[in-house]
Amino acid sequence: MMAGTASAADLEAGKARAATACAVCHGPVGLSMQPNVPHLAGQPLFYLTEQLRNYRSGKRANEVMSVIAKPLTDAEIDNLALWYSSLQVRVEAP
């Protein structure tokens, strides 16, 4: 996924999976309202993919994320990473 281009189906699959598995903690568009949960929107594709795979393998541990990531397939991880990396975050200086 990271080397090639993604199809709309992959993006939509990532969006759908995020709505069921991630939105409670990370927000519906990847912007968390919880102080101890990071924003996912706009994060680099490579970073998101790597971290989800690390949670799945146990290389990175978190009480919640380790459980959430464990059953994810490579395709689901790629789709989730694609969805969150496709979201654009704008920053405005005061």
Side-chain angles (χ1 to χ4, degrees):
M1 172 67 64
M2 293 174 356
T5 59
S7 69
D10 296 330
L11 188 66
E12 289 303 313
K15 180 180 179 180
R17 184 70 168 141
T20 62
C22 311
V24 171
C25 295
H26 294 284
V29 292
L31 297 174
S32 173
M33 298 301 287
Q34 301 176 40
N36 61 337
V37 176
H39 299 310
L40 299 180
Q43 292 289 341
L45 179 68
F46 175 80
Y47 173 79
L48 292 166
T49 303
E50 181 177 26
Q51 296 313 309
L52 281 170
R53 288 196 169 110
N54 287 342
Y55 281 124
R56 183 179 65 185
S57 73
K59 184 175 181 181
R60 183 171 180 181
N62 173 275
E63 187 176 332
V64 175
M65 282 305 301
S66 297
V67 172
I68 296 290
K70 190 77 167 171
L72 295 176
T73 66
D74 283 345
E76 288 172 322
I77 288 173
D78 290 345
N79 293 342
L80 283 165
L82 178 64
W83 165 246
Y84 283 116
S85 68
S86 75
L87 299 171
Q88 295 184 12
V89 178
R90 292 194 175 111
V91 178
E92 295 182 23

